Amino acid sequence: MTESTEFLSGARPAAPRFGFLGPLVLALLPVLAALVAAGLVLAVLGSDPIEYYGYVVERGLLRWRGLQATVVNMVPLLILGGALIVSFRSGLWNLGIDGQYLLGTLTAGATAPLLAGAFSSIVALPLAMLAGAAAGALWALPPALLRARAGINEVISGLMMSLIAASLTAAAIKLWLKDPASLEPQTLTLPVEDRLPLLAGTDINIGIFIALGLVIAAHVLMMRSATGLRFRILGLNPLAATHAGLGVPKLTLSVLCLSGALGGLAGAVELTGVLGKMQASWHPGYGFAVVPLVFLARMNGWAVIVFVFAFSVLQIGSASAATRLGVPQDFTLVLVGFLLLFLALSEYAGERLRARKV
């Protein structure tokens, strides 16, 4: 950030940093603390934390099938990470990301099988993804308008839109989009041969390249483009953006709708690559899991890739560990909760240290 940008933002001068060690320590300390705290919970539950974490690493990283599952699991998380990089760096909290993801998944689930029956996969899949992205952007529009026009906090409206989305997707599948050939309420199934192609000899589809490209593109957009600079000025100081003639309402709409489009696209890529159909009861809650990862990465796209990979190893490995060691299936959420707690404490401690050095 240049001196002129610091002046416009009204931000305090940053405390001296110790090269890359400062951000690295701030990122790793909450992770280590969360692992220790979760390990204590495991010990209370009667499980050996060392055995549990060792089993997680073995099944999620060291075994070839587990590693493939880890990479596949990364795809929606990476795209959602890109969506949150755009909004968080712009000073806007798109916590309605889960709703946008669900609507994108539903839209792709409703359109992809029909498009695949009329066009080749090369045409059908991109169209289904665009439809999912459009659904995510439209679902982000109400909170964006409320924030841009009325100054209403996007956190509350975004969370409410996510709650509505969960009920709306379930109702839509049960009432209008249900596959008549299925006993379970779900959309039509996209045939396996019409889904995103797999890499030769693996279970990994090309969605991983789409996801990596999108999260890197989000990083480059925010850090290396004129549009990203406008978004970041909005996040640093909306009053400065107004005085600079940037048009805060228009920027707010652009940021939240772009973030929503990426959220919807994450669901569409997941459906066209792995799921093939959407069930009425399906609600993975990926947005809640990605938020702490983006903050641990300091909203850096390259670091997001690293943290998402580590988290995916944990998710895949813990699923096996839960069965083998008798640990609850939702124990990963306990670890995410500890991550949020220690991340907040780390940020508080960092702010106190910076305040003393100013």
Coordinates of all heavy atoms in Angstrom, one line a residue, residues 16-74:
P16 N 6.5 -2.6 12.4 CA 7.6 -3.3 11.6 C 7.3 -4.8 11.6 O 6.9 -5.4 12.5 CB 8.9 -3.0 12.4 CG 8.5 -1.8 13.2 CD 7.1 -1.9 13.5
R17 N 7.6 -5.4 10.4 CA 7.4 -6.8 10.2 C 8.8 -7.5 10.1 O 9.7 -6.9 9.6 CB 6.6 -7.1 9.0 CG 5.1 -6.6 9.1 CD 4.4 -7.0 7.9 NE 3.0 -6.5 7.9 CZ 2.0 -7.3 8.4 NH1 2.2 -8.4 8.9 NH2 0.8 -6.8 8.4
F18 N 8.8 -8.7 10.5 CA 10.1 -9.5 10.5 C 10.1 -10.3 9.2 O 10.0 -11.6 9.2 CB 10.2 -10.4 11.7 CG 10.3 -9.6 13.0 CD1 9.1 -9.4 13.7 CD2 11.4 -8.9 13.4 CE1 9.1 -8.7 14.9 CE2 11.4 -8.2 14.6 CZ 10.3 -8.1 15.3
G19 N 10.1 -9.7 8.0 CA 10.1 -10.4 6.8 C 8.8 -11.2 6.6 O 7.7 -10.7 7.0
F20 N 9.0 -12.4 6.2 CA 7.8 -13.3 6.0 C 7.4 -14.0 7.3 O 6.4 -14.6 7.4 CB 8.1 -14.3 4.9 CG 9.1 -15.3 5.3 CD1 8.7 -16.5 5.9 CD2 10.5 -15.1 5.1 CE1 9.6 -17.5 6.3 CE2 11.4 -16.1 5.5 CZ 11.0 -17.3 6.1
L21 N 8.3 -13.9 8.3 CA 8.0 -14.6 9.6 C 6.8 -14.1 10.3 O 6.1 -14.9 10.9 CB 9.3 -14.6 10.5 CG 10.5 -15.3 10.0 CD1 11.7 -15.2 10.9 CD2 10.2 -16.8 9.8
G22 N 6.6 -12.8 10.3 CA 5.5 -12.3 11.0 C 4.1 -12.9 10.6 O 3.4 -13.5 11.4
P23 N 3.8 -12.7 9.3 CA 2.5 -13.3 8.8 C 2.5 -14.8 9.0 O 1.5 -15.4 9.2 CB 2.5 -12.9 7.3 CG 3.4 -11.7 7.2 CD 4.4 -11.9 8.3
L24 N 3.7 -15.5 8.8 CA 3.7 -16.9 8.9 C 3.4 -17.4 10.3 O 2.6 -18.3 10.5 CB 5.1 -17.5 8.5 CG 5.3 -19.0 8.5 CD1 4.3 -19.6 7.5 CD2 6.7 -19.3 8.2
V25 N 4.0 -16.7 11.3 CA 3.7 -17.0 12.7 C 2.2 -16.8 13.0 O 1.6 -17.6 13.7 CB 4.6 -16.2 13.6 CG1 4.2 -16.4 15.1 CG2 6.1 -16.7 13.5
L26 N 1.7 -15.6 12.6 CA 0.3 -15.3 12.9 C -0.6 -16.3 12.2 O -1.7 -16.5 12.8 CB 0.0 -13.9 12.4 CG 0.6 -12.7 13.2 CD1 0.3 -11.4 12.5 CD2 0.0 -12.7 14.6
A27 N -0.2 -16.9 11.1 CA -1.1 -17.9 10.5 C -1.0 -19.3 11.2 O -2.0 -20.0 11.3 CB -0.7 -18.0 9.0
L28 N 0.2 -19.6 11.6 CA 0.4 -21.0 12.1 C 0.0 -21.1 13.6 O -0.4 -22.2 14.0 CB 1.9 -21.4 11.9 CG 2.3 -21.6 10.4 CD1 3.8 -22.1 10.4 CD2 1.4 -22.6 9.8
L29 N 0.2 -20.1 14.3 CA -0.1 -20.2 15.8 C -1.6 -20.6 16.0 O -1.8 -21.5 16.8 CB 0.2 -18.9 16.5 CG 1.7 -18.7 16.9 CD1 1.9 -17.3 17.6 CD2 2.1 -19.8 17.8
P30 N -2.6 -20.0 15.4 CA -3.9 -20.4 15.6 C -4.2 -21.9 15.2 O -4.9 -22.6 15.8 CB -4.8 -19.5 14.7 CG -3.9 -18.3 14.5 CD -2.5 -18.8 14.5
V31 N -3.5 -22.3 14.1 CA -3.6 -23.7 13.7 C -3.1 -24.6 14.7 O -3.7 -25.6 15.1 CB -2.9 -23.9 12.3 CG1 -2.9 -25.4 11.9 CG2 -3.5 -23.0 11.2
L32 N -1.9 -24.3 15.2 CA -1.3 -25.2 16.2 C -2.1 -25.2 17.5 O -2.3 -26.3 18.1 CB 0.2 -24.8 16.5 CG 1.2 -24.9 15.4 CD1 2.5 -24.3 15.8 CD2 1.3 -26.4 15.0
A33 N -2.6 -24.1 17.9 CA -3.4 -24.0 19.1 C -4.7 -24.8 19.0 O -5.1 -25.5 19.9 CB -3.7 -22.5 19.5
A34 N -5.3 -24.7 17.8 CA -6.5 -25.4 17.5 C -6.3 -26.9 17.5 O -7.1 -27.7 18.1 CB -7.1 -25.0 16.2
L35 N -5.2 -27.3 17.0 CA -4.9 -28.8 17.0 C -4.6 -29.3 18.4 O -5.1 -30.4 18.7 CB -3.6 -29.0 16.1 CG -3.8 -28.9 14.6 CD1 -2.4 -29.0 13.9 CD2 -4.7 -29.9 14.1
V36 N -4.0 -28.5 19.2 CA -3.7 -28.9 20.6 C -5.1 -28.9 21.4 O -5.4 -29.9 22.1 CB -2.8 -27.9 21.3 CG1 -2.7 -28.2 22.8 CG2 -1.4 -28.0 20.7
A37 N -5.9 -27.9 21.2 CA -7.2 -27.9 21.9 C -8.1 -29.0 21.5 O -8.7 -29.7 22.3 CB -7.9 -26.5 21.7
A38 N -8.1 -29.3 20.2 CA -8.9 -30.4 19.7 C -8.4 -31.7 20.2 O -9.1 -32.7 20.5 CB -9.0 -30.4 18.1
G39 N -7.0 -31.8 20.3 CA -6.4 -33.0 20.8 C -6.8 -33.2 22.3 O -7.0 -34.4 22.7
L40 N -6.9 -32.2 23.0 CA -7.4 -32.3 24.4 C -8.8 -32.8 24.5 O -9.2 -33.7 25.3 CB -7.3 -31.0 25.1 CG -5.9 -30.5 25.4 CD1 -5.9 -29.1 26.0 CD2 -5.1 -31.4 26.3
V41 N -9.7 -32.3 23.5 CA -11.0 -32.8 23.5 C -11.0 -34.3 23.2 O -11.8 -35.1 23.7 CB -11.9 -32.1 22.4 CG1 -13.2 -32.7 22.2 CG2 -12.0 -30.6 22.9
L42 N -10.2 -34.7 22.2 CA -10.1 -36.2 21.9 C -9.7 -37.0 23.1 O -10.2 -38.1 23.3 CB -9.1 -36.3 20.7 CG -9.5 -35.9 19.3 CD1 -8.3 -36.0 18.4 CD2 -10.6 -36.9 18.8
A43 N -8.7 -36.4 23.8 CA -8.3 -37.2 25.0 C -9.4 -37.3 26.0 O -9.6 -38.4 26.6 CB -7.1 -36.4 25.7
V44 N -10.2 -36.3 26.2 CA -11.3 -36.4 27.1 C -12.3 -37.4 26.6 O -13.0 -38.1 27.4 CB -12.0 -35.0 27.2 CG1 -13.3 -35.1 28.0 CG2 -11.1 -34.0 27.9
L45 N -12.5 -37.5 25.3 CA -13.4 -38.5 24.7 C -12.9 -39.9 24.8 O -13.5 -40.9 24.4 CB -13.7 -38.1 23.3 CG -14.5 -36.9 23.0 CD1 -14.6 -36.6 21.5 CD2 -15.9 -37.0 23.7
G46 N -11.6 -40.1 25.2 CA -11.0 -41.4 25.3 C -10.2 -41.9 24.1 O -9.9 -43.1 24.0
S47 N -9.9 -40.9 23.2 CA -9.1 -41.3 22.0 C -7.7 -40.7 22.1 O -7.5 -39.7 22.8 CB -9.8 -40.8 20.7 OG -11.1 -41.3 20.6
D48 N -6.8 -41.4 21.5 CA -5.4 -40.9 21.5 C -5.2 -39.9 20.4 O -5.4 -40.2 19.2 CB -4.5 -42.1 21.2 CG -3.0 -41.7 21.2 OD1 -2.7 -40.5 21.3 OD2 -2.1 -42.6 21.2
P49 N -4.9 -38.6 20.7 CA -4.8 -37.5 19.7 C -3.7 -37.8 18.7 O -3.9 -37.5 17.5 CB -4.5 -36.3 20.5 CG -4.9 -36.6 21.9 CD -4.8 -38.0 22.1
I50 N -2.6 -38.3 19.1 CA -1.5 -38.6 18.2 C -1.9 -39.7 17.2 O -1.7 -39.6 16.0 CB -0.2 -39.1 19.0 CG1 0.2 -38.1 20.0 CG2 0.9 -39.4 18.0 CD1 0.5 -36.7 19.4
E51 N -2.6 -40.7 17.7 CA -3.1 -41.8 16.8 C -4.1 -41.2 15.8 O -4.1 -41.6 14.6 CB -3.7 -42.9 17.6 CG -4.2 -44.1 16.8 CD -4.9 -45.2 17.6 OE1 -5.2 -44.9 18.8 OE2 -5.2 -46.2 17.0
Y52 N -5.0 -40.4 16.3 CA -6.0 -39.8 15.4 C -5.4 -38.9 14.3 O -5.7 -39.1 13.1 CB -7.0 -38.9 16.3 CG -8.0 -38.2 15.5 CD1 -9.2 -38.8 15.1 CD2 -7.8 -36.9 15.1 CE1 -10.2 -38.2 14.3 CE2 -8.8 -36.2 14.3 CZ -9.9 -36.8 14.0 OH -10.9 -36.2 13.2
Y53 N -4.5 -38.0 14.7 CA -3.9 -37.1 13.7 C -3.0 -37.9 12.7 O -3.0 -37.7 11.5 CB -3.1 -36.0 14.4 CG -3.9 -35.0 15.1 CD1 -3.6 -34.5 16.3 CD2 -5.0 -34.4 14.4 CE1 -4.4 -33.6 17.0 CE2 -5.8 -33.5 15.1 CZ -5.5 -33.1 16.4 OH -6.2 -32.1 17.0
G54 N -2.3 -38.9 13.3 CA -1.5 -39.8 12.4 C -2.4 -40.5 11.4 O -2.0 -40.7 10.2
Y55 N -3.5 -41.0 11.8 CA -4.5 -41.7 10.9 C -5.0 -40.8 9.9 O -5.2 -41.2 8.7 CB -5.6 -42.3 11.8 CG -6.3 -43.5 11.1 CD1 -5.8 -44.7 11.0 CD2 -7.5 -43.2 10.5 CE1 -6.4 -45.8 10.4 CE2 -8.2 -44.3 9.8 CZ -7.7 -45.5 9.8 OH -8.3 -46.6 9.2
V56 N -5.3 -39.5 10.3 CA -5.8 -38.5 9.4 C -4.8 -38.3 8.2 O -5.2 -38.3 7.1 CB -6.1 -37.2 10.1 CG1 -6.3 -36.1 9.1 CG2 -7.4 -37.4 11.0
V57 N -3.5 -38.1 8.6 CA -2.5 -37.8 7.6 C -2.3 -39.0 6.7 O -2.2 -38.9 5.5 CB -1.2 -37.4 8.3 CG1 -0.1 -37.4 7.3 CG2 -1.3 -36.1 9.0
E58 N -2.3 -40.2 7.3 CA -2.2 -41.4 6.5 C -3.3 -41.6 5.4 O -3.0 -41.8 4.2 CB -2.1 -42.7 7.4 CG -2.0 -44.0 6.6 CD -2.3 -45.2 7.4 OE1 -2.5 -45.0 8.6 OE2 -2.4 -46.3 6.8
R59 N -4.5 -41.4 5.9 CA -5.7 -41.7 5.0 C -5.9 -40.5 4.0 O -6.5 -40.7 3.0 CB -6.9 -42.0 5.8 CG -6.8 -43.3 6.5 CD -6.6 -44.5 5.5 NE -6.5 -45.8 6.2 CZ -7.5 -46.7 6.2 NH1 -8.7 -46.4 5.6 NH2 -7.3 -47.8 6.7
G60 N -5.6 -39.3 4.5 CA -5.9 -38.2 3.6 C -4.8 -37.7 2.7 O -5.0 -36.9 1.8
L61 N -3.6 -38.1 3.0 CA -2.4 -37.6 2.3 C -1.5 -38.7 1.7 O -1.1 -38.7 0.6 CB -1.6 -36.7 3.2 CG -0.4 -36.1 2.6 CD1 -0.7 -35.2 1.4 CD2 0.4 -35.3 3.7
L62 N -1.2 -39.7 2.5 CA -0.2 -40.7 2.2 C -0.7 -41.8 1.3 O 0.1 -42.4 0.6 CB 0.5 -41.2 3.4 CG 1.2 -40.2 4.3 CD1 1.8 -40.8 5.5 CD2 2.2 -39.3 3.6
R63 N -2.0 -42.1 1.4 CA -2.5 -43.1 0.5 C -3.0 -42.5 -0.8 O -3.6 -41.4 -0.8 CB -3.7 -43.8 1.2 CG -3.2 -44.7 2.4 CD -4.3 -45.7 2.8 NE -3.8 -46.5 3.9 CZ -4.5 -47.6 4.3 NH1 -5.6 -47.9 3.7 NH2 -4.0 -48.3 5.3
W64 N -2.8 -43.2 -1.9 CA -3.1 -42.6 -3.2 C -4.6 -42.3 -3.4 O -5.0 -41.2 -3.8 CB -2.6 -43.5 -4.3 CG -3.0 -43.1 -5.7 CD1 -3.6 -43.9 -6.7 CD2 -2.7 -41.9 -6.4 NE1 -3.7 -43.2 -7.8 CE2 -3.2 -41.9 -7.7 CE3 -2.1 -40.7 -5.9 CZ2 -3.1 -40.9 -8.6 CZ3 -2.0 -39.6 -6.8 CH2 -2.5 -39.7 -8.1
R65 N -5.4 -43.2 -3.0 CA -6.9 -43.0 -3.1 C -7.3 -41.8 -2.2 O -8.1 -41.0 -2.6 CB -7.6 -44.3 -2.7 CG -7.5 -45.4 -3.7 CD -8.4 -46.5 -3.4 NE -9.8 -46.1 -3.4 CZ -10.8 -46.9 -3.1 NH1 -10.6 -48.2 -2.7 NH2 -12.1 -46.5 -3.2
G66 N -6.7 -41.8 -1.0 CA -7.0 -40.7 -0.1 C -6.6 -39.3 -0.6 O -7.3 -38.3 -0.5
L67 N -5.4 -39.3 -1.2 CA -4.9 -38.1 -1.8 C -5.8 -37.6 -3.0 O -6.1 -36.4 -3.1 CB -3.5 -38.3 -2.3 CG -2.8 -37.1 -2.9 CD1 -2.7 -35.9 -2.0 CD2 -1.4 -37.4 -3.4
Q68 N -6.3 -38.5 -3.8 CA -7.2 -38.2 -4.9 C -8.5 -37.6 -4.3 O -9.0 -36.6 -4.8 CB -7.5 -39.4 -5.7 CG -6.3 -39.9 -6.5 CD -6.8 -41.1 -7.3 OE1 -7.4 -41.0 -8.4 NE2 -6.4 -42.3 -6.9
A69 N -9.0 -38.2 -3.3 CA -10.2 -37.7 -2.6 C -10.0 -36.3 -2.0 O -10.9 -35.4 -2.1 CB -10.7 -38.7 -1.5
T70 N -8.8 -36.1 -1.5 CA -8.4 -34.8 -0.9 C -8.5 -33.7 -2.0 O -9.0 -32.6 -1.8 CB -7.0 -34.8 -0.3 OG1 -7.1 -35.7 0.9 CG2 -6.6 -33.5 0.1
V71 N -7.9 -34.0 -3.2 CA -7.8 -33.0 -4.3 C -9.2 -32.7 -4.8 O -9.6 -31.6 -5.1 CB -6.9 -33.6 -5.4 CG1 -7.0 -32.6 -6.6 CG2 -5.5 -33.7 -4.9
V72 N -10.0 -33.8 -4.9 CA -11.4 -33.6 -5.4 C -12.2 -32.7 -4.4 O -13.0 -31.8 -4.8 CB -12.1 -34.9 -5.6 CG1 -13.6 -34.7 -5.9 CG2 -11.5 -35.7 -6.8
N73 N -12.0 -32.9 -3.1 CA -12.6 -32.2 -2.1 C -12.3 -30.7 -2.1 O -13.0 -29.9 -1.6 CB -12.3 -32.8 -0.7 CG -13.2 -32.2 0.4 OD1 -14.4 -32.5 0.5 ND2 -12.5 -31.5 1.3
M74 N -11.1 -30.4 -2.6 CA -10.6 -29.0 -2.6 C -11.4 -28.1 -3.6 O -11.4 -26.9 -3.4 CB -9.1 -29.0 -3.0 CG -8.1 -29.5 -2.0 SD -6.5 -29.6 -2.7 CE -6.1 -27.8 -2.9

